[in-house]
Amino acid sequence: MKFKLPIFLISIFILTSCSMLSSTNIGHFNQAKQTALTTKTEPPEDFIPHDITIVSAGDSLTEGVGDSTNSGGYIPYLKEKLEDNRGISSAHFFNFGVKGNRSDQLLTRLNSSKIKTAVREADMVIVTIGGNDMMQVVRENFSNLKFRAFHKQKQKYIENLEEVINKLRKDNPDGIIVLVGLYNPFLKWFANISELNVIIDEWNKTSKKTLAKYPNTYFVEIDDLFQKNSEELLYTDYFHPNDKGYELIANRVYETLKEGALNKITERFYTVGNGEKY
């Protein structure tokens, strides 16, 4: 099936992939971790909160393109919410987001010693990837755009996603892995192009199924935030989130983590005396 996209939309896709905002690195390594586990799901009353370390990796959503403060997009909002959690004293972030990165480029970057070292020390890795994989299809096929091209690219993306997870698992077998889903930034301006919604929904469903194969992985759905919210959530490029958009993404990530991931992290610190479990 073939469908056409407005020239304005194509221009936005191409221009936003070349946006020139700089990334921000946040936080430092957590120097000491205890690893004993317990069966409790909530910290005891006398539990002492601990620092946690989080690696954020991926594309412009991790770098924070569209963030007016240039402080890392969703990261400062998520940091604040995590530090309000009773089991966490401080949340330290490493931001490895690079605008324009596709899944194959992220795979290559995961081989760098700097990222590998950060991942080994991390309690959690949050990934945003896939949007530029889709954008590549548009750039290369905009004069003859068909569903088949997106399906073919989706298969490559899923293969890369599985390799990303396997690499992260190799460097950190016990860490939490979180994948933030895709959203349709053109819903407000091009609501009549239903094909984009179908494509994004298919990619999100496939990503979620892929993560389900691996333990300690979480998928964060954000597409509905941009579909159902009456507020303006996009930056002036009409592609990336603005400050409010990033805040809502952070809230959704935190809501997802509260369902189990945060308990798994804080359980590692539930030891007393010589290491016996509560």
Side-chain angles (χ1 to χ4, degrees), residues 25-58:
N25 288 337
I26 301 175
H28 55 79
F29 285 121
N30 184 14
Q31 298 297 322
K33 292 190 180 77
Q34 298 174 354
T35 57
L37 300 179
T38 179
T39 57
K40 286 183 176 290
T41 59
E42 293 292 337
E45 291 300 323
D46 58 349
F47 173 70
I48 300 175
H50 285 260
D51 293 357
I52 65 170
T53 300
I54 299 171
V55 166
S56 296

PDB file of all heavy atoms in Angstrom, residues 25-58:
ATOM      1  N   ASN A  25      25.728  15.858  30.106  1.00  0.00           N
ATOM      2  CA  ASN A  25      26.027  14.714  30.952  1.00  0.00           C
ATOM      3  C   ASN A  25      25.711  15.066  32.387  1.00  0.00           C
ATOM      4  O   ASN A  25      26.121  16.111  32.884  1.00  0.00           O
ATOM      5  CB  ASN A  25      27.505  14.328  30.846  1.00  0.00           C
ATOM      6  CG  ASN A  25      27.796  13.682  29.508  1.00  0.00           C
ATOM      7  OD1 ASN A  25      26.881  13.155  28.871  1.00  0.00           O
ATOM      8  ND2 ASN A  25      29.035  13.731  29.085  1.00  0.00           N
ATOM      9  N   ILE A  26      24.971  14.193  33.055  1.00  0.00           N
ATOM     10  CA  ILE A  26      24.525  14.466  34.405  1.00  0.00           C
ATOM     11  C   ILE A  26      24.972  13.346  35.321  1.00  0.00           C
ATOM     12  O   ILE A  26      24.823  12.177  35.008  1.00  0.00           O
ATOM     13  CB  ILE A  26      22.979  14.565  34.457  1.00  0.00           C
ATOM     14  CG1 ILE A  26      22.525  15.674  33.523  1.00  0.00           C
ATOM     15  CG2 ILE A  26      22.501  14.840  35.863  1.00  0.00           C
ATOM     16  CD1 ILE A  26      21.035  15.787  33.413  1.00  0.00           C
ATOM     17  N   GLY A  27      25.488  13.705  36.469  1.00  0.00           N
ATOM     18  CA  GLY A  27      25.719  12.729  37.518  1.00  0.00           C
ATOM     19  C   GLY A  27      27.104  12.168  37.556  1.00  0.00           C
ATOM     20  O   GLY A  27      27.975  12.543  36.804  1.00  0.00           O
ATOM     21  N   HIS A  28      27.309  11.235  38.453  1.00  0.00           N
ATOM     22  CA  HIS A  28      28.597  10.588  38.619  1.00  0.00           C
ATOM     23  C   HIS A  28      28.377   9.163  39.063  1.00  0.00           C
ATOM     24  O   HIS A  28      27.268   8.756  39.355  1.00  0.00           O
ATOM     25  CB  HIS A  28      29.457  11.339  39.645  1.00  0.00           C
ATOM     26  CG  HIS A  28      28.769  11.516  40.981  1.00  0.00           C
ATOM     27  ND1 HIS A  28      28.685  10.519  41.909  1.00  0.00           N
ATOM     28  CD2 HIS A  28      28.109  12.580  41.492  1.00  0.00           C
ATOM     29  CE1 HIS A  28      28.017  10.951  42.962  1.00  0.00           C
ATOM     30  NE2 HIS A  28      27.657  12.190  42.724  1.00  0.00           N
ATOM     31  N   PHE A  29      29.432   8.378  39.112  1.00  0.00           N
ATOM     32  CA  PHE A  29      29.297   6.963  39.438  1.00  0.00           C
ATOM     33  C   PHE A  29      28.929   6.751  40.898  1.00  0.00           C
ATOM     34  O   PHE A  29      29.396   7.456  41.790  1.00  0.00           O
ATOM     35  CB  PHE A  29      30.617   6.226  39.182  1.00  0.00           C
ATOM     36  CG  PHE A  29      30.880   6.006  37.733  1.00  0.00           C
ATOM     37  CD1 PHE A  29      32.030   6.522  37.150  1.00  0.00           C
ATOM     38  CD2 PHE A  29      30.003   5.296  36.948  1.00  0.00           C
ATOM     39  CE1 PHE A  29      32.281   6.325  35.818  1.00  0.00           C
ATOM     40  CE2 PHE A  29      30.251   5.091  35.610  1.00  0.00           C
ATOM     41  CZ  PHE A  29      31.392   5.608  35.046  1.00  0.00           C
ATOM     42  N   ASN A  30      28.108   5.758  41.130  1.00  0.00           N
ATOM     43  CA  ASN A  30      27.824   5.312  42.481  1.00  0.00           C
ATOM     44  C   ASN A  30      28.987   4.427  42.909  1.00  0.00           C
ATOM     45  O   ASN A  30      29.259   3.411  42.295  1.00  0.00           O
ATOM     46  CB  ASN A  30      26.501   4.520  42.480  1.00  0.00           C
ATOM     47  CG  ASN A  30      26.090   4.100  43.871  1.00  0.00           C
ATOM     48  OD1 ASN A  30      26.613   4.589  44.854  1.00  0.00           O
ATOM     49  ND2 ASN A  30      25.139   3.189  43.944  1.00  0.00           N
ATOM     50  N   GLN A  31      29.689   4.807  43.958  1.00  0.00           N
ATOM     51  CA  GLN A  31      30.943   4.163  44.293  1.00  0.00           C
ATOM     52  C   GLN A  31      30.779   2.844  45.053  1.00  0.00           C
ATOM     53  O   GLN A  31      31.677   2.015  45.055  1.00  0.00           O
ATOM     54  CB  GLN A  31      31.808   5.126  45.129  1.00  0.00           C
ATOM     55  CG  GLN A  31      32.171   6.399  44.367  1.00  0.00           C
ATOM     56  CD  GLN A  31      33.003   6.096  43.149  1.00  0.00           C
ATOM     57  OE1 GLN A  31      33.855   5.218  43.175  1.00  0.00           O
ATOM     58  NE2 GLN A  31      32.752   6.808  42.066  1.00  0.00           N
ATOM     59  N   ALA A  32      29.677   2.653  45.746  1.00  0.00           N
ATOM     60  CA  ALA A  32      29.543   1.431  46.544  1.00  0.00           C
ATOM     61  C   ALA A  32      28.126   0.899  46.432  1.00  0.00           C
ATOM     62  O   ALA A  32      27.171   1.635  46.559  1.00  0.00           O
ATOM     63  CB  ALA A  32      29.875   1.714  48.003  1.00  0.00           C
ATOM     64  N   LYS A  33      28.002  -0.382  46.176  1.00  0.00           N
ATOM     65  CA  LYS A  33      26.693  -1.020  46.080  1.00  0.00           C
ATOM     66  C   LYS A  33      26.698  -2.300  46.921  1.00  0.00           C
ATOM     67  O   LYS A  33      27.631  -3.078  46.888  1.00  0.00           O
ATOM     68  CB  LYS A  33      26.345  -1.382  44.629  1.00  0.00           C
ATOM     69  CG  LYS A  33      26.115  -0.196  43.723  1.00  0.00           C
ATOM     70  CD  LYS A  33      25.547  -0.686  42.398  1.00  0.00           C
ATOM     71  CE  LYS A  33      25.292   0.473  41.462  1.00  0.00           C
ATOM     72  NZ  LYS A  33      26.511   0.967  40.864  1.00  0.00           N
ATOM     73  N   GLN A  34      25.613  -2.537  47.662  1.00  0.00           N
ATOM     74  CA  GLN A  34      25.416  -3.814  48.317  1.00  0.00           C
ATOM     75  C   GLN A  34      24.489  -4.617  47.434  1.00  0.00           C
ATOM     76  O   GLN A  34      23.626  -4.061  46.770  1.00  0.00           O
ATOM     77  CB  GLN A  34      24.791  -3.603  49.698  1.00  0.00           C
ATOM     78  CG  GLN A  34      25.675  -2.787  50.630  1.00  0.00           C
ATOM     79  CD  GLN A  34      24.968  -2.470  51.928  1.00  0.00           C
ATOM     80  OE1 GLN A  34      23.794  -2.769  52.082  1.00  0.00           O
ATOM     81  NE2 GLN A  34      25.687  -1.879  52.842  1.00  0.00           N
ATOM     82  N   THR A  35      24.638  -5.935  47.421  1.00  0.00           N
ATOM     83  CA  THR A  35      23.897  -6.734  46.446  1.00  0.00           C
ATOM     84  C   THR A  35      23.009  -7.801  47.053  1.00  0.00           C
ATOM     85  O   THR A  35      22.364  -8.546  46.332  1.00  0.00           O
ATOM     86  CB  THR A  35      24.882  -7.423  45.483  1.00  0.00           C
ATOM     87  OG1 THR A  35      25.796  -8.214  46.237  1.00  0.00           O
ATOM     88  CG2 THR A  35      25.647  -6.383  44.685  1.00  0.00           C
ATOM     89  N   ALA A  36      22.965  -7.937  48.387  1.00  0.00           N
ATOM     90  CA  ALA A  36      22.125  -8.968  48.989  1.00  0.00           C
ATOM     91  C   ALA A  36      20.660  -8.656  48.730  1.00  0.00           C
ATOM     92  O   ALA A  36      20.231  -7.509  48.745  1.00  0.00           O
ATOM     93  CB  ALA A  36      22.380  -9.028  50.498  1.00  0.00           C
ATOM     94  N   LEU A  37      19.856  -9.712  48.480  1.00  0.00           N
ATOM     95  CA  LEU A  37      18.452  -9.543  48.138  1.00  0.00           C
ATOM     96  C   LEU A  37      17.561  -9.928  49.302  1.00  0.00           C
ATOM     97  O   LEU A  37      17.968 -10.618  50.234  1.00  0.00           O
ATOM     98  CB  LEU A  37      18.092 -10.412  46.913  1.00  0.00           C
ATOM     99  CG  LEU A  37      18.879 -10.109  45.644  1.00  0.00           C
ATOM    100  CD1 LEU A  37      18.424 -11.060  44.547  1.00  0.00           C
ATOM    101  CD2 LEU A  37      18.666  -8.678  45.212  1.00  0.00           C
ATOM    102  N   THR A  38      16.326  -9.494  49.241  1.00  0.00           N
ATOM    103  CA  THR A  38      15.346  -9.850  50.245  1.00  0.00           C
ATOM    104  C   THR A  38      14.018 -10.075  49.546  1.00  0.00           C
ATOM    105  O   THR A  38      13.831  -9.653  48.415  1.00  0.00           O
ATOM    106  CB  THR A  38      15.195  -8.738  51.290  1.00  0.00           C
ATOM    107  OG1 THR A  38      14.216  -9.122  52.245  1.00  0.00           O
ATOM    108  CG2 THR A  38      14.753  -7.435  50.645  1.00  0.00           C
ATOM    109  N   THR A  39      13.095 -10.712  50.226  1.00  0.00           N
ATOM    110  CA  THR A  39      11.784 -10.963  49.634  1.00  0.00           C
ATOM    111  C   THR A  39      10.824  -9.831  49.919  1.00  0.00           C
ATOM    112  O   THR A  39       9.705  -9.836  49.427  1.00  0.00           O
ATOM    113  CB  THR A  39      11.200 -12.278  50.199  1.00  0.00           C
ATOM    114  OG1 THR A  39      11.132 -12.172  51.621  1.00  0.00           O
ATOM    115  CG2 THR A  39      12.063 -13.452  49.812  1.00  0.00           C
ATOM    116  N   LYS A  40      11.210  -8.833  50.700  1.00  0.00           N
ATOM    117  CA  LYS A  40      10.335  -7.718  50.981  1.00  0.00           C
ATOM    118  C   LYS A  40      10.119  -6.876  49.725  1.00  0.00           C
ATOM    119  O   LYS A  40      10.992  -6.761  48.892  1.00  0.00           O
ATOM    120  CB  LYS A  40      10.914  -6.837  52.095  1.00  0.00           C
ATOM    121  CG  LYS A  40      10.800  -7.445  53.500  1.00  0.00           C
ATOM    122  CD  LYS A  40      11.327  -6.471  54.523  1.00  0.00           C
ATOM    123  CE  LYS A  40      11.151  -7.001  55.931  1.00  0.00           C
ATOM    124  NZ  LYS A  40       9.743  -7.025  56.314  1.00  0.00           N
ATOM    125  N   THR A  41       8.950  -6.255  49.607  1.00  0.00           N
ATOM    126  CA  THR A  41       8.650  -5.401  48.465  1.00  0.00           C
ATOM    127  C   THR A  41       8.685  -3.924  48.824  1.00  0.00           C
ATOM    128  O   THR A  41       8.649  -3.087  47.934  1.00  0.00           O
ATOM    129  CB  THR A  41       7.267  -5.750  47.889  1.00  0.00           C
ATOM    130  OG1 THR A  41       6.279  -5.574  48.896  1.00  0.00           O
ATOM    131  CG2 THR A  41       7.250  -7.182  47.372  1.00  0.00           C
ATOM    132  N   GLU A  42       8.727  -3.567  50.087  1.00  0.00           N
ATOM    133  CA  GLU A  42       8.832  -2.186  50.518  1.00  0.00           C
ATOM    134  C   GLU A  42       9.969  -2.068  51.529  1.00  0.00           C
ATOM    135  O   GLU A  42      10.189  -2.961  52.340  1.00  0.00           O
ATOM    136  CB  GLU A  42       7.522  -1.711  51.164  1.00  0.00           C
ATOM    137  CG  GLU A  42       6.351  -1.627  50.211  1.00  0.00           C
ATOM    138  CD  GLU A  42       6.538  -0.531  49.176  1.00  0.00           C
ATOM    139  OE1 GLU A  42       7.309   0.406  49.461  1.00  0.00           O
ATOM    140  OE2 GLU A  42       5.918  -0.618  48.108  1.00  0.00           O
ATOM    141  N   PRO A  43      10.708  -0.942  51.512  1.00  0.00           N
ATOM    142  CA  PRO A  43      11.788  -0.772  52.484  1.00  0.00           C
ATOM    143  C   PRO A  43      11.242  -0.762  53.901  1.00  0.00           C
ATOM    144  O   PRO A  43      10.179  -0.201  54.160  1.00  0.00           O
ATOM    145  CB  PRO A  43      12.370   0.596  52.109  1.00  0.00           C
ATOM    146  CG  PRO A  43      11.947   0.843  50.704  1.00  0.00           C
ATOM    147  CD  PRO A  43      10.625   0.168  50.563  1.00  0.00           C
ATOM    148  N   PRO A  44      11.941  -1.378  54.867  1.00  0.00           N
ATOM    149  CA  PRO A  44      11.516  -1.309  56.263  1.00  0.00           C
ATOM    150  C   PRO A  44      11.619   0.119  56.776  1.00  0.00           C
ATOM    151  O   PRO A  44      12.265   0.966  56.166  1.00  0.00           O
ATOM    152  CB  PRO A  44      12.524  -2.234  56.975  1.00  0.00           C
ATOM    153  CG  PRO A  44      13.715  -2.251  56.074  1.00  0.00           C
ATOM    154  CD  PRO A  44      13.182  -2.138  54.683  1.00  0.00           C
ATOM    155  N   GLU A  45      10.989   0.396  57.906  1.00  0.00           N
ATOM    156  CA  GLU A  45      10.934   1.756  58.424  1.00  0.00           C
ATOM    157  C   GLU A  45      12.314   2.336  58.696  1.00  0.00           C
ATOM    158  O   GLU A  45      12.537   3.534  58.544  1.00  0.00           O
ATOM    159  CB  GLU A  45      10.080   1.789  59.700  1.00  0.00           C
ATOM    160  CG  GLU A  45       8.594   1.553  59.460  1.00  0.00           C
ATOM    161  CD  GLU A  45       7.994   2.607  58.545  1.00  0.00           C
ATOM    162  OE1 GLU A  45       8.398   3.773  58.644  1.00  0.00           O
ATOM    163  OE2 GLU A  45       7.127   2.257  57.726  1.00  0.00           O
ATOM    164  N   ASP A  46      13.259   1.490  59.119  1.00  0.00           N
ATOM    165  CA  ASP A  46      14.593   1.986  59.453  1.00  0.00           C
ATOM    166  C   ASP A  46      15.569   1.855  58.270  1.00  0.00           C
ATOM    167  O   ASP A  46      16.778   1.974  58.443  1.00  0.00           O
ATOM    168  CB  ASP A  46      15.150   1.244  60.669  1.00  0.00           C
ATOM    169  CG  ASP A  46      15.234  -0.262  60.459  1.00  0.00           C
ATOM    170  OD1 ASP A  46      14.664  -0.748  59.457  1.00  0.00           O
ATOM    171  OD2 ASP A  46      15.850  -0.945  61.300  1.00  0.00           O
ATOM    172  N   PHE A  47      15.029   1.601  57.095  1.00  0.00           N
ATOM    173  CA  PHE A  47      15.878   1.468  55.912  1.00  0.00           C
ATOM    174  C   PHE A  47      16.523   2.805  55.559  1.00  0.00           C
ATOM    175  O   PHE A  47      15.875   3.851  55.552  1.00  0.00           O
ATOM    176  CB  PHE A  47      15.028   0.965  54.740  1.00  0.00           C
ATOM    177  CG  PHE A  47      15.759   0.947  53.419  1.00  0.00           C
ATOM    178  CD1 PHE A  47      16.774   0.043  53.191  1.00  0.00           C
ATOM    179  CD2 PHE A  47      15.422   1.843  52.410  1.00  0.00           C
ATOM    180  CE1 PHE A  47      17.444   0.016  51.978  1.00  0.00           C
ATOM    181  CE2 PHE A  47      16.083   1.821  51.194  1.00  0.00           C
ATOM    182  CZ  PHE A  47      17.101   0.910  50.976  1.00  0.00           C
ATOM    183  N   ILE A  48      17.829   2.772  55.276  1.00  0.00           N
ATOM    184  CA  ILE A  48      18.559   3.975  54.892  1.00  0.00           C
ATOM    185  C   ILE A  48      18.559   4.090  53.368  1.00  0.00           C
ATOM    186  O   ILE A  48      19.033   3.191  52.683  1.00  0.00           O
ATOM    187  CB  ILE A  48      20.005   3.933  55.417  1.00  0.00           C
ATOM    188  CG1 ILE A  48      20.006   3.823  56.941  1.00  0.00           C
ATOM    189  CG2 ILE A  48      20.774   5.168  54.959  1.00  0.00           C
ATOM    190  CD1 ILE A  48      21.385   3.648  57.533  1.00  0.00           C
ATOM    191  N   PRO A  49      18.042   5.180  52.821  1.00  0.00           N
ATOM    192  CA  PRO A  49      18.010   5.348  51.356  1.00  0.00           C
ATOM    193  C   PRO A  49      19.411   5.312  50.757  1.00  0.00           C
ATOM    194  O   PRO A  49      20.390   5.711  51.394  1.00  0.00           O
ATOM    195  CB  PRO A  49      17.367   6.728  51.170  1.00  0.00           C
ATOM    196  CG  PRO A  49      16.613   6.964  52.435  1.00  0.00           C
ATOM    197  CD  PRO A  49      17.422   6.309  53.506  1.00  0.00           C
ATOM    198  N   HIS A  50      19.507   4.840  49.529  1.00  0.00           N
ATOM    199  CA  HIS A  50      20.790   4.724  48.843  1.00  0.00           C
ATOM    200  C   HIS A  50      20.775   5.493  47.531  1.00  0.00           C
ATOM    201  O   HIS A  50      19.724   5.771  46.960  1.00  0.00           O
ATOM    202  CB  HIS A  50      21.129   3.256  48.568  1.00  0.00           C
ATOM    203  CG  HIS A  50      21.573   2.503  49.770  1.00  0.00           C
ATOM    204  ND1 HIS A  50      22.887   2.249  50.057  1.00  0.00           N
ATOM    205  CD2 HIS A  50      20.854   1.945  50.788  1.00  0.00           C
ATOM    206  CE1 HIS A  50      22.983   1.564  51.189  1.00  0.00           C
ATOM    207  NE2 HIS A  50      21.760   1.361  51.642  1.00  0.00           N
ATOM    208  N   ASP A  51      21.975   5.804  47.041  1.00  0.00           N
ATOM    209  CA  ASP A  51      22.117   6.393  45.711  1.00  0.00           C
ATOM    210  C   ASP A  51      21.866   5.330  44.655  1.00  0.00           C
ATOM    211  O   ASP A  51      22.168   4.149  44.872  1.00  0.00           O
ATOM    212  CB  ASP A  51      23.523   6.953  45.504  1.00  0.00           C
ATOM    213  CG  ASP A  51      23.817   8.150  46.387  1.00  0.00           C
ATOM    214  OD1 ASP A  51      22.903   8.585  47.123  1.00  0.00           O
ATOM    215  OD2 ASP A  51      24.952   8.639  46.347  1.00  0.00           O
ATOM    216  N   ILE A  52      21.333   5.749  43.528  1.00  0.00           N
ATOM    217  CA  ILE A  52      21.235   4.856  42.380  1.00  0.00           C
ATOM    218  C   ILE A  52      21.858   5.546  41.169  1.00  0.00           C
ATOM    219  O   ILE A  52      21.914   6.786  41.104  1.00  0.00           O
ATOM    220  CB  ILE A  52      19.789   4.424  42.065  1.00  0.00           C
ATOM    221  CG1 ILE A  52      18.942   5.633  41.625  1.00  0.00           C
ATOM    222  CG2 ILE A  52      19.152   3.719  43.242  1.00  0.00           C
ATOM    223  CD1 ILE A  52      17.576   5.239  41.073  1.00  0.00           C
ATOM    224  N   THR A  53      22.354   4.752  40.226  1.00  0.00           N
ATOM    225  CA  THR A  53      22.982   5.275  39.022  1.00  0.00           C
ATOM    226  C   THR A  53      22.184   4.823  37.802  1.00  0.00           C
ATOM    227  O   THR A  53      21.837   3.650  37.682  1.00  0.00           O
ATOM    228  CB  THR A  53      24.433   4.771  38.903  1.00  0.00           C
ATOM    229  OG1 THR A  53      25.167   5.207  40.045  1.00  0.00           O
ATOM    230  CG2 THR A  53      25.094   5.300  37.638  1.00  0.00           C
ATOM    231  N   ILE A  54      21.911   5.763  36.905  1.00  0.00           N
ATOM    232  CA  ILE A  54      21.097   5.480  35.725  1.00  0.00           C
ATOM    233  C   ILE A  54      21.834   5.954  34.474  1.00  0.00           C
ATOM    234  O   ILE A  54      22.310   7.095  34.419  1.00  0.00           O
ATOM    235  CB  ILE A  54      19.728   6.174  35.807  1.00  0.00           C
ATOM    236  CG1 ILE A  54      18.963   5.673  37.036  1.00  0.00           C
ATOM    237  CG2 ILE A  54      18.910   5.928  34.536  1.00  0.00           C
ATOM    238  CD1 ILE A  54      17.698   6.456  37.323  1.00  0.00           C
ATOM    239  N   VAL A  55      21.919   5.082  33.483  1.00  0.00           N
ATOM    240  CA  VAL A  55      22.473   5.445  32.185  1.00  0.00           C
ATOM    241  C   VAL A  55      21.310   5.700  31.236  1.00  0.00           C
ATOM    242  O   VAL A  55      20.411   4.865  31.091  1.00  0.00           O
ATOM    243  CB  VAL A  55      23.372   4.320  31.622  1.00  0.00           C
ATOM    244  CG1 VAL A  55      23.666   4.564  30.141  1.00  0.00           C
ATOM    245  CG2 VAL A  55      24.675   4.242  32.406  1.00  0.00           C
ATOM    246  N   SER A  56      21.313   6.866  30.616  1.00  0.00           N
ATOM    247  CA  SER A  56      20.330   7.186  29.571  1.00  0.00           C
ATOM    248  C   SER A  56      21.055   7.180  28.233  1.00  0.00           C
ATOM    249  O   SER A  56      22.050   7.891  28.066  1.00  0.00           O
ATOM    250  CB  SER A  56      19.703   8.556  29.827  1.00  0.00           C
ATOM    251  OG  SER A  56      18.963   8.556  31.029  1.00  0.00           O
ATOM    252  N   ALA A  57      20.567   6.387  27.294  1.00  0.00           N
ATOM    253  CA  ALA A  57      21.240   6.260  25.998  1.00  0.00           C
ATOM    254  C   ALA A  57      20.219   6.311  24.879  1.00  0.00           C
ATOM    255  O   ALA A  57      19.056   5.940  25.057  1.00  0.00           O
ATOM    256  CB  ALA A  57      22.028   4.950  25.939  1.00  0.00           C
ATOM    257  N   GLY A  58      20.664   6.788  23.704  1.00  0.00           N
ATOM    258  CA  GLY A  58      19.763   6.797  22.560  1.00  0.00           C
ATOM    259  C   GLY A  58      19.879   8.034  21.709  1.00  0.00           C
ATOM    260  O   GLY A  58      20.977   8.527  21.449  1.00  0.00           O
TER     261      GLY A  58
END
